[in-house]
Amino acid sequence: MDSPYSTELSIAIPAIQLAARISKHVLASANKGTIEKAEDLSPVTVADFAIQAYLTKVLSSSFPADSFVGEESAAALRANPELLQRVYDVIHECIDEVSSSATGDDENESRISIVNVVKRGAPESKEQVCELVDRCGDGGKDGLSADSGRTWVFDPIDGTKTFVRGEQYAINVALLEGGRQILSVVACPLLSRKATAPVGNASVFKTDDGEDGCIVYAVRGFGAYAKPLFVGQGTGLAECASEPLKRHADGVTVSGLRSVSCWNLLDSGVDDAHKAATERLGVEFPGSDLLGWVPRWVALALGLANMTVWVYKRRDRYAKIWDHAGAMLLFEEVGGMITDVDGKEIDLTKGRKLTANFGFVAAPRSVHHVVLKAVRQTLKDQGKEALLNAA
């Protein structure tokens, strides 16, 4: 991709490849260091902490003036020295494995350049690991206004519940400028760019040509692209060819709609409304069925689906920025349109929670208004008018 953000991509793509390597290293371990967060009892693992620290280090080293927002805080690491040691160790082990593969030969010049990027993410101490995690964990609390400059947003493991089962998950890296999505890089270590629908949490894809996982990335106004995450049995950090994604959502009619959702796995949404609204349009439900929001946005980008709806059970329930920032851009760059249930554009300037929006309606631009109407009429028919904006 030839864009004004080529430098950022040249850093973010190798960084997310190493982050994926960390995730697979932890995934192969019987003990993933899983603990529950105090605030919502959701799981967090060694991989979540390690990847957030690593991404913050490599990107802050490359772009020191930028800000950072991430899901995790380091409180649990400071309280658990053994867990902190594991986080520090896994980052260095993965960096060392990749570094040892570079021979210094001219024919490996590209790999050496990538390894040099990767090595920027090595934390100097366990205390610095905590500082890096907290730099993200404290980010965005005052909002991301139009004059807030550049902010990187991370979800180190989206779909931790499925990750610990060896099922679909994603690593999300987004760059915002003044609260506006500019760049997205997402790694899906267990999803092939050549996957076919429907895709479920337990779906694992490998191709005959040795591709393993995928990276999907986009720059606003320059389209979306996909490439293998790993190839063959090597480090997986060599340059791999990218392919532009077709704008498959352009000109879609209602009869061409295909759903992706999360069915009966999350307690935040109104499952019966999602099902009824989708079936009201004559679309099979759930279609592709994925727990994590980032894998769902990737499925929409890859053409495995082209619509999703989500209604929260309460008007005061809000989405979190790291589950959506950047990843939404992938679908927009293939012709998708995304609003909330009230028909408003998604506002990423409010900070860590998307307090200006309620739920999501994503569909091809040509039929988005039809899908939105179906969602709102379904809520009325089900007696859930309280979930609709009074205006």
Side-chain angles (χ1 to χ4, degrees), residues 9-61:
L9 285 174
S10 72
I11 305 297
I13 289 176
I16 209 168
Q17 284 181 299
L18 196 282
R21 189 179 182 91
I22 291 172
S23 75
K24 298 197 83 171
H25 188 105
V26 174
L27 193 58
S29 172
N31 179 3
K32 298 171 178 59
T34 307
I35 60 173
E36 289 184 341
K37 300 180 191 177
E39 61 270 24
D40 61 5
L41 301 183
S42 62
V44 60
T45 70
V46 168
D48 295 84
F49 293 120
I51 290 171
Q52 184 163 305
Y54 171 76
L55 290 173
T56 306
K57 180 66 161 63
V58 71
L59 286 164
S60 64
S61 297

Side-chain angles (χ1 to χ4, degrees), residues 248-259 276-284 305-308 362-375:
H248 63 82
D250 283 342
V252 172
T253 63
V254 172
S255 63
L257 288 173
R258 290 171 296 137
S259 169
T278 303
E279 292 180 344
R280 186 186 201 102
L281 295 162
V283 179
E284 183 179 351
N306 55 23
M307 69 160 282
T308 192
R365 184 170 293 276
S366 54
V367 293
H368 182 277
H369 64 291
V370 179
V371 177
L372 178 63
K373 182 178 179 181
V375 173

